[in-house]
């Protein structure tokens, strides 16, 4: 039935549902100045891009509208909120005015021109002339920090994407230990001077840890607690207790369960292939880009982010949306319909609409505890650390993680039996959630009676919520971001590490045989079941992971924004406000333990895996003090260095152990890595990422 606009506008609440053409009526709904209530939105229109939860729309939990009554009650009870939303929507007509539409079109064109890789030749020549003229005019005795010419708009992005280490090394040779990089529209100062680095890496004054990338900021909304200089040390302590070295034994069972289920699924793929004789000869094919991506996501979402969602939420879809959200973090913030960024924004709304109801109770509980502690971060932190330490102790005492059988069963946790699944698709894994750890006994039961904080939230988001509260971000929405930020910290870097380790190991039969020999020693000593003790006794396999991260570091390193000028040597002063990086690839190139100072080469031999694979990829160098690299920046250095490093070693060692015990690996396209691109992360060229598994 046809309902004219003025009929709609009589209502206090207006329901918006998406449809094939019905989505187009959203602008009319907004114009009414009523309270707009919507289901989680999947599609973009120019109007949905302007919608902000709680500001001009209220979104129910799911497409079934199962919580619509609660939403209605909430709005009725909170007339201030309802009125604010209606008032916000009344302003919408301004956007539809002639000026509003012109402004939108102009922005669209600007975004489009930024995204365009093509610049008309006449414009290019003109720009070049202006650029050269300006540079000649401005020539001054000051030290230059970049070449006279850079590609307009693209800057150094293409060269960095192709061969980052060699490119950074060439800049270092030309400009010395400070130079600038123009990447994806931002200028970064790369600092390779140890004395200057020491000042900003070990001091908290002078520089803030921050990721001032526009897309990242819009998609994460709340600044990470590590950028809060005052509260960072306490937040870091809780974070360390949650996922640092002392938490590894607690985290071992869920990690093993997730990795095992993924590797087994690759093996099942293998079995299917081996049924065909011809395929058996060719070996088993595993697409490692997607496989590593899925495993990295499962580890970060299932084990670390760990939020218990209602059964109505499709867990596979939740992960898909998580991937979509992460895909937008480091790209251009162009929200035109269909763009990666627009999809990421929509995924953010979708995810928040699911996470917020799931953690509402927990958030209320935390708020009560916070008030009871008079908002004192230290008191709350002590309590949380005590709880985490107790879990770690129970884990050791109860054998959680030390015993392979317990591990295979999810560490005997009640959470695993409730939410676990064979493919690791649960959103909360055993022992990871913060309270359901293995181990029993009277004392444990007694402690179980004690009310635990945030019992339906993962260990790392718990620390995030604390950091947010300390920074006065106390809303439910902000706490939900703790879950998303956890996934962001762990997923991309982990999946790239899994991928690059698989690639390098598959390229070296020698290294595989060394890992295999170590596995045989480990099996003889600790038994065939993979246990926490066994994984802690694999020095060679761990060296393989470190060597991979030395050669192919997934992250540039810690990013800082200077809050005061930074003097580097006698000549250069990097200005306040500058974005600085101690680029890990470059620091690994100029490692004094490995580099002889030869600047005649394109890339030092110890980094040049393209032309000197056997000489460059040498895990053994980590095994003795004389040959051990001196610079290792893959996880950052100093006060903000990565808290997840030991966890990553454990995760990758488990994967390698499980694979190498059963298979020999090789790449179907041996030069896969040479043909890959590296910005923002390693991405093989299409169709080149197949790894062949041959049964031992
Ligand atoms: C191979 C995978 C990983 C790499 C290469 C990596 C790398 C880094 C780097 C370069 C930093 C910044 C250091 C700085 O600012 O100086 C960092 C910080 C951090 N990482 Fe990781 N990371 C990885 C995995 C993880 C995982 C799995 C977690 C969670 C368990 C994690 C949690 C964090 C946190 C919380 C910080 C901030 C620490 C602070 O500011 O005090 N990372 N990581």
């Amino acid at each position: 039935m046809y309902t004219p606009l003025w009929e709609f506008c009589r209502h206090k609440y207006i329901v918006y549902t998406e449809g094939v053409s019905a989505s187009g009526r959203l602008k009319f709904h907004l114009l009414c100045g009523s309270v707009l209530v919507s289901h989680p939105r999947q599609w973009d229109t120019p109007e949905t891009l302007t919608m902000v939860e709680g500001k001009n729309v209220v979104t129910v939990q799911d497409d079934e509208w199962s919580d619509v009554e609660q939403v209605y009650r909430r709005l009725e009870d909170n007339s201030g909120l309802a009125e604010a939303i209606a008032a916000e929507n009344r302003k919408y007509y301004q956007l539809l005015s002639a000026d509003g539409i012109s402004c939108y079109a102009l922005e669209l064109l600007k975004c489009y021109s930024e995204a365009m890789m093509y610049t008309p030749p006449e414009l290019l020549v003109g720009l070049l002339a202006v650029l050269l003229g300006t540079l000649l005019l401005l020539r001054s005795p000051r030290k230059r920090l970049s070449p006279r010419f850079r590609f307009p708009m693209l800057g150094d992005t293409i060269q960095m994407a192709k061969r980052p280490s060699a490119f950074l090394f060439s800049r270092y040779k030309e400009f010395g230990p400070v130079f600038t990089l123009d990447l994806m529209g931002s200028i970064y100062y790369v600092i390779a001077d140890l004395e200057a680095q020491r000042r900003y890496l070990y001091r908290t004054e002078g520089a803030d840890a921050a990721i001032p990338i526009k897309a990242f900021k819009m998609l994460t909304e709340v600044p990470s607690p590590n950028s809060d200089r005052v509260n960072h040390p306490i937040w870091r302590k809780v974070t360390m207790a949650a996922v640092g070295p002392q938490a590894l034994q607690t985290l071992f069972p869920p990690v093993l369960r997730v990795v095992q289920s993924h590797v087994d699924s690759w093996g099942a793929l293998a079995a299917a292939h081996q049924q065909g004789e011809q395929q058996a000869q060719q070996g088993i094919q595993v697409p490692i880009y997607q496989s590593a991506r899925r495993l990295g996501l499962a580890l970060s979402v299932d084990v670390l982010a760990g939020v218990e969602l209602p059964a109505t939420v499709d867990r596979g879809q939740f992960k898909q949306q998580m991937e979509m959200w992460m895909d937008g973090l480091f790209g251009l913030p162009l929200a035109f319909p269909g763009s990666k960024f627009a999809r990421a924004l929509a995924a953010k709304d979708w995810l928040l609409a699911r996470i917020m109801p799931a953690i509402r109770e927990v958030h209320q509980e935390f708020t009560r505890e916070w008030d009871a502690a008079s908002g004192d971060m230290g008191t709350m932190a002590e309590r949380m650390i005590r709880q985490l330490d107790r879990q770690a102790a129970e884990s050791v005492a109860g054998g959680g993680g030390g015993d392979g059988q317990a591990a295979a069963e999810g560490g005997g946790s009640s959470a695993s039996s409730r939410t676990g699944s064979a493919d690791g698709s649960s959103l909360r894994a055993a022992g990871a959630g913060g309270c359901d750890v293995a181990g029993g006994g009277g004392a444990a039961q007694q402690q179980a009676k004690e009310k635990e904080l945030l019992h339906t939230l993962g260990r790392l988001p718990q620390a995030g919520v604390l950091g947010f509260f300390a920074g006065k971000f106390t809303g439910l929405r902000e706490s939900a971001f703790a879950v998303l930020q956890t996934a962001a910290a762990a997923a991309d870097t982990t999946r790239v590490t899994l991928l690059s380790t698989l690639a390098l190991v598959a390229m070296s039969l020698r290294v595989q045989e060394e890992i295999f020999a170590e596995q045989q020693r480990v099996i003889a000593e600790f038994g065939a079941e993979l246990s926490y003790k066994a994984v802690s006794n694999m020095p060679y396999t761990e060296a393989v992971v470190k060597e991979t991260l030395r050669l192919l570091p997934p992250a540039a390193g810690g990013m800082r924004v200077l809050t005061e000028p930074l003097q580097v040597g006698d000549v250069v002063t990097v200005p306040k406000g500058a974005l600085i990086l101690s680029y890990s690839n470059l620091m690994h190139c100029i490692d004094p333990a490995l580099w002889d100072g030869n600047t005649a080469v394109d890339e030092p031999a110890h980094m040049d895996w393209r032309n000197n694979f056997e000489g460059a990829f040498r895990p053994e160098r980590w095994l003795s003090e004389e040959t051990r690299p001196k610079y290792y920046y893959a996880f950052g250095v100093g006060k903000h260095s990565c808290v997840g490093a030991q966890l990553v070693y454990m995760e990758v060692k488990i994967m390698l152990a499980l694979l190498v015990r059963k298979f020999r690996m090789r790449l179907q396209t041996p030069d896969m890595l040479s043909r890959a691109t590296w910005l923002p992360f390693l991405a093989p060229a299409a169709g080149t990422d197949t790894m062949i598994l041959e049964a031992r």
Side-chain angles (χ1 to χ4, degrees):
M1 198 183 76
Y2 170 70
T3 309
L5 176 61
W6 52 90
E7 283 292 331
F8 258 112
C9 291
R10 283 198 192 141
H11 296 277
K12 180 173 172 186
Y13 299 103
I14 294 187
V15 162
Y16 169 62
T17 51
E18 288 180 326
V20 177
S21 59
S23 307
R25 72 193 196 283
L26 178 58
K27 53 182 163 296
F28 305 120
H29 286 353
L30 286 165
L31 274 175
C32 281
S34 303
V35 179
L36 192 69
V37 184
S38 160
H39 61 136
R41 295 166 298 283
Q42 300 268 14
W43 303 99
D44 283 328
T45 68
E47 291 78 34
T48 53
L49 299 177
T50 68
M51 290 168 81
V52 179
E53 187 61 28
K55 190 173 171 210
N56 55 1
V57 67
V58 178
T59 308
V60 295
Q61 170 175 299
D62 49 42
D63 290 346
E64 279 75 46
W65 295 75
S66 55
D67 65 337
V68 68
E69 202 166 328
Q70 287 103 293
V71 169
Y72 172 70
R73 293 260 156 260
R74 208 170 71 238
L75 287 166
E76 282 290 291
D77 294 346
N78 187 351
S79 58
L81 173 66
E83 275 165 21
I85 292 175
E88 186 64 33
N89 286 341
R90 260 192 298 278
K91 291 187 210 151
Y92 196 77
Y93 78 91
Q94 291 169 351
L95 291 181
L96 290 184
S97 65
D99 281 351
I101 297 289
S102 308
C103 181
Y104 177 77
L106 192 65
E107 277 303 302
L108 204 64
L109 285 172
K110 272 199 233 157
C111 292
Y112 186 61
S113 75
E114 276 176 40
M116 283 259 290
M117 294 297 170
Y118 173 75
T119 312
E122 301 82 342
L123 183 61
L124 199 66
V125 171
L127 278 175
L128 273 178
V130 172
L131 198 71
L132 281 173
T134 318
L135 281 171
L136 285 174
L137 277 176
L138 290 180
R139 267 184 79 170
S140 74
R142 273 194 312 151
K143 189 175 179 329
R144 262 192 315 119
L145 301 180
S146 60
R148 292 188 197 286
F149 169 74
R150 269 174 175 157
F151 286 106
M153 286 185 286
L154 289 174
D156 301 313
T157 308
I158 291 184
Q159 284 148 298
M160 277 293 289
K162 269 194 195 156
R163 222 178 138 172
S165 298
F167 178 64
L168 288 161
F169 187 61
S170 73
R171 279 282 157 91
Y172 175 81
K173 287 190 295 183
E174 191 173 352
F175 300 103
V178 193
F179 55 85
T180 58
L181 278 184
D182 178 353
L183 293 181
M184 319 265 283
S186 298
I187 300 289
Y188 298 88
Y189 284 76
V190 177
I191 316 267
D193 175 279
L194 281 203
E195 175 47 37
Q197 279 183 359
R198 231 170 261 133
R199 273 177 270 146
Y200 64 83
L201 290 177
Y202 289 95
R203 272 197 322 154
T204 40
E205 306 91 51
D208 282 340
I211 305 186
I213 296 171
K214 198 167 170 201
F216 189 92
K217 277 166 70 172
M218 288 172 72
L219 288 168
T220 52
E221 285 187 18
V222 195
S224 162
N226 78 337
S227 60
D228 179 339
R229 238 191 260 176
V230 177
N231 295 322
H232 169 255
I234 301 184
W235 166 81
R236 187 173 166 94
K237 263 192 205 156
V238 182
T239 306
M240 270 296 191
V243 293
Q246 65 268 45
L248 287 189
Q249 192 153 351
T250 316
L251 290 168
F252 176 78
V255 168
L256 175 63
R257 198 162 54 86
V258 169
V259 179
Q260 177 116 47
S261 67
H262 279 251
V263 170
D264 283 354
S265 75
W266 305 345
L269 198 72
H273 276 290
Q274 276 173 341
Q275 282 162 8
E277 186 125 333
Q278 199 193 351
Q279 276 160 333
Q281 278 168 10
Q282 287 168 357
I284 301 139
Q285 304 191 350
V286 181
I288 50 175
Y289 179 66
Q290 269 310 332
S291 304
R293 196 177 160 98
R294 284 201 199 105
L295 176 52
L297 191 70
L299 284 167
S300 72
V301 174
D302 293 336
V303 180
L304 295 173
V307 53
E308 239 174 70
L309 294 168
T312 45
V313 177
D314 181 315
R315 298 175 190 291
Q317 198 183 2
F318 187 89
K319 280 196 195 156
Q320 255 176 16
Q321 295 286 331
M322 199 67 122
E323 264 187 290
M324 237 183 251
W325 174 75
M326 283 192 274
D327 276 348
L329 289 174
F330 296 101
L332 294 171
L334 305 176
F336 52 79
S339 71
K340 254 192 191 176
F341 184 63
R343 285 204 302 268
L345 284 173
K348 179 182 77 173
D349 286 343
W350 191 98
L351 289 162
L352 288 174
R354 268 99 199 138
I355 296 171
M356 278 160 59
I359 65 165
R360 180 166 284 127
E361 257 182 56
V362 156
H363 175 259
Q364 283 166 356
E365 192 185 320
F366 194 94
T367 309
R368 275 195 297 275
E369 299 286 343
W370 178 256
D371 292 342
S374 310
D376 181 50
M377 187 189 195
T379 310
M380 287 290 278
E382 259 175 44
R383 184 164 172 205
M384 290 167 85
I385 291 174
R386 258 203 316 277
Q387 185 181 312
L388 289 161
D389 285 350
R390 198 170 62 232
Q391 287 161 15
E394 283 169 3
S395 219
V396 176
D403 171 283
Q405 185 60 34
E409 290 168 6
S413 142
S414 59
S416 75
S417 52
R418 270 202 320 274
T419 62
S421 68
D423 66 353
S425 66
S426 87
L427 282 166
R428 174 130 182 270
C435 70
D436 296 299
V437 287
Q445 274 169 13
Q446 181 59 36
Q447 280 151 1
K449 282 188 199 152
E450 190 182 325
K451 208 170 175 199
E452 305 262 8
L453 283 175
L454 299 185
H455 53 81
T456 57
L457 202 57
R459 303 160 69 92
L460 199 51
Q462 283 183 36
V465 171
L466 175 70
F468 287 163
F469 266 65
K472 308 224 179 321
F473 298 106
T474 55
L476 173 62
R477 183 181 173 88
E478 287 148 349
S479 291
F481 271 105
V483 177
L484 292 180
Q485 290 194 3
T486 291
D492 271 333
T493 46
T494 304
R495 70 161 169 96
V496 174
T497 306
L498 295 167
L499 172 63
S500 42
T501 313
L502 285 173
L504 287 176
V505 170
M507 286 163 75
S508 174
L509 203 54
R510 180 186 76 78
V511 168
Q512 288 177 49
E513 292 316 302
E514 292 288 348
I515 300 175
F516 185 64
E518 179 165 85
Q519 291 308 311
Q520 287 182 312
R521 278 199 301 279
V522 166
I523 290 170
E525 194 172 343
F526 301 100
E529 206 83 64
L530 206 51
S531 63
Y532 178 71
K533 271 199 200 106
V535 174
S536 311
N537 281 281
M538 296 178 181
Y540 186 83
T541 314
E542 184 157 317
V544 171
V545 189
K546 286 186 177 150
E547 183 66 349
T548 300
L549 288 165
R550 186 188 70 80
L551 274 182
L552 310 174
M559 205 182 278
R560 301 286 184 275
V561 179
L562 287 182
T563 53
E564 56 187 51
L566 178 75
Q567 183 68 35
V568 188
D570 297 332
V571 195
V572 183
T573 308
V574 183
K576 180 178 165 181
L579 263 175
I580 56 174
L581 284 171
S582 347
Y583 226 110
S584 41
N585 302 59
L586 176 60
M587 296 312 293
H588 296 173
C589 278
I590 61 172
D591 184 336
L594 305 177
W595 182 45
D596 56 8
N598 181 2
T599 51
V601 289
D602 286 343
E603 201 171 357
H606 67 91
M607 288 293 281
D608 191 3
W609 50 267
R610 285 179 175 80
N611 303 303
N612 176 36
F613 183 75
E614 287 299 325
F617 185 48
R618 291 206 69 75
E620 317 32 43
R621 67 172 99 248
W622 291 92
L623 299 176
S624 99
E625 274 315 310
E626 292 83 63
T627 54
R628 182 181 283 272
K630 204 159 171 237
Y631 293 174
Y632 184 50
Y633 281 63
F635 291 104
V637 170
K639 288 212 166 151
H640 285 279
S641 64
C642 180
V643 298
Q646 298 301 324
L647 174 64
V648 172
Y649 292 147
M650 183 171 89
E651 292 169 345
V652 187
K653 279 192 287 178
I654 293 175
M655 178 188 74
L656 284 178
L658 292 172
L659 274 174
V660 171
R661 285 178 183 196
K662 278 194 185 160
F663 302 107
R664 284 197 182 84
M665 301 171 249
R666 70 185 157 83
L667 293 178
Q668 191 175 57
T669 309
D671 60 350
M672 176 193 101
L673 285 179
S674 306
R675 294 164 61 177
T677 53
W678 303 84
L679 258 191
F681 296 113
L682 163 60
T688 62
D689 74 325
T690 303
M691 181 175 75
I692 312 282
L693 293 179
E694 280 155 2
R696 281 190 180 272

